[in-house]
Amino acid sequence: MDEQTARREIVRVGKLMYERSYVVSSDGNVSVRLDDGRVVATPTQTSKGRMTEDGLAVTDLEGRALNDRRASSELAMHLLIYRERADVRAVCHAHPPHGSAFAVAGLAIDRPILSEVILTLGCVPLAEYGTPSTEELTEAMRPLVRNHNALLMANHGAVAYGADVWQAFDRLETLEHTAKIAILARALGGARDLPPDSIEKLIEVRERAGYLDERARCQACGYLHETQVVCPTGERPAAPPSRREAANGAASNGKISLTREELIELLSQAARLAP
Ligand SMILES: [Zn+2]
């Protein structure tokens, strides 16, 4: 992509992120990696709703300034993703309220509740907390970048990336929309997961259609462990333990704890299964 197109599209995506409340004030940042390896990025301390094409920063892949604008302090997160993923040409980072609520609650967006999300995005893991703009954050993200196209960052927000700035934005939008639906479903009594055989069919479809490749079988994703789908490289990155797993899983003393709703659901499931 040429620099002028990248500048125009970054400004358009920034406006959309602001108008859709994925960011407020000077939150968030967007970048594009050009064909020559330079990176065009949103400038520091600027509202994404009020950027101009000539106000953007340009850096190299080490983050060294190549013009007189200072890039966002969170650029390191973008550069990590470009280094880990040769196929990625654009990154969008924001604090969308529903996705960020998952990140604040210590939850990944990783339940198989929406067929189209399994087809196009896969699951969104939660990277452990790291101080923004430091190596703590990039180190927490590093093991997850390869197999996922979007991540949550604990107590912070979300990042999505893709082959161009629109694919990165679309993935951010899907992440936020999924989080919103999951929260609403909870208010209606809880989301129902798709069964493992339906998930396997969706994974076949997404690979045949080219939406996601086999690498997505290696996602740090709760529901993949329940299917027959195997990661081709044999790797299966473990998701950082989320608070939900901590709450639902067996504690070290062998006791488990359930909420009243979870106990009722468990008992009614058992009643339905009884002959
Ligand atoms: Zn941020």
Side-chain angles (χ1 to χ4, degrees):
M1 177 181 288
D2 68 273
E3 184 174 338
Q4 216 40 55
T5 310
R7 285 177 180 270
R8 191 170 60 240
E9 296 195 339
I10 287 171
V11 170
R12 284 176 67 195
V13 160
K15 269 208 181 83
L16 268 177
M17 285 184 8
Y18 182 75
E19 282 163 6
R20 296 184 68 86
S21 297
Y22 295 177
V23 288
V24 296
S25 185
S26 61
D27 293 350
N29 27 76
V30 181
S31 74
V32 168
R33 169 161 54 178
L34 302 174
D35 296 340
D36 62 13
R38 289 179 303 142
V39 175
V40 184
T42 50
T44 187
Q45 290 179 344
T46 305
S47 165
K48 303 298 135 347
R50 298 194 297 272
M51 296 188 297
T52 58
E53 288 177 30
D54 57 6
L56 303 180
V58 183
T59 75
D60 65 15
L61 272 175
E62 307 305 318
R64 285 182 289 253
L66 298 176
N67 72 353
D68 60 356
R69 307 282 170 170
R70 228 176 90 216
S72 157
S73 58
E74 291 187 292
L75 185 70
M77 164 200 317
H78 299 232
L79 300 177
L80 165 84
I81 293 166
Y82 292 135
R83 280 197 293 270
E84 295 284 316
R85 291 277 299 269
D87 59 316
V88 167
R89 292 305 185 102
V91 178
C92 290
H93 161 56
H95 306 157
H98 300 89
S100 301
F102 270 75
V104 165
L107 298 173
I109 305 174
D110 68 350
R111 294 314 310 164
I113 55 169
L114 287 163
S115 52
E116 297 209 3
V117 175
I118 296 174
L119 285 179
T120 59
L121 184 67
C123 60
V124 181
L126 176 73
E128 279 174 64
Y129 180 74
T131 308
S133 81
T134 71
E135 266 187 27
E136 268 175 31
L137 178 63
T138 47
E139 284 311 304
M141 291 168 59
R142 187 187 299 278
L144 300 168
V145 171
R146 188 154 27 137
N147 299 323
H148 301 82
N149 294 314
L151 310 176
L152 292 178
M153 292 165 281
N155 300 87
H156 182 171
V159 63
Y161 33 98
D164 59 46
V165 76
W166 292 110
Q167 189 176 46
F169 175 77
D170 290 347
R171 285 172 170 167
L172 182 69
E173 197 174 36
T174 300
L175 175 161
E176 171 62 359
H177 200 234
T178 306
K180 187 174 179 179
I181 290 169
I183 292 167
L184 290 171
R186 204 173 176 120
L188 296 175
R192 291 171 180 224
D193 288 352
L194 283 162
D197 61 324
S198 300
I199 298 166
E200 286 165 23
K201 283 183 202 156
L202 288 166
I203 288 171
E204 255 172 57
V205 172
R206 79 182 183 190
E207 290 177 4
R208 234 182 303 129
Y211 299 142
L212 289 175
D213 62 24
E214 281 196 329
R215 191 168 49 193
R217 293 175 172 220
C218 310
Q219 293 189 331
C221 178
Y223 62 75
L224 287 178
H225 291 274
E226 292 148 27
T227 66
Q228 300 295 316
V229 167
V230 290
C231 166
T233 60
E235 66 180 307
R236 185 161 280 190
S242 68
R243 260 180 239 160
R244 186 195 57 212
E245 284 162 358
N248 289 355
S252 54
N253 61 6
K255 287 183 183 167
I256 61 162
S257 64
L258 296 171
T259 64
R260 187 168 175 276
E261 288 77 15
E262 285 164 346
L263 181 63
I264 290 168
E265 171 67 11
L266 206 64
L267 291 172
S268 53
Q269 271 179 18
R272 280 199 297 273
L273 288 173

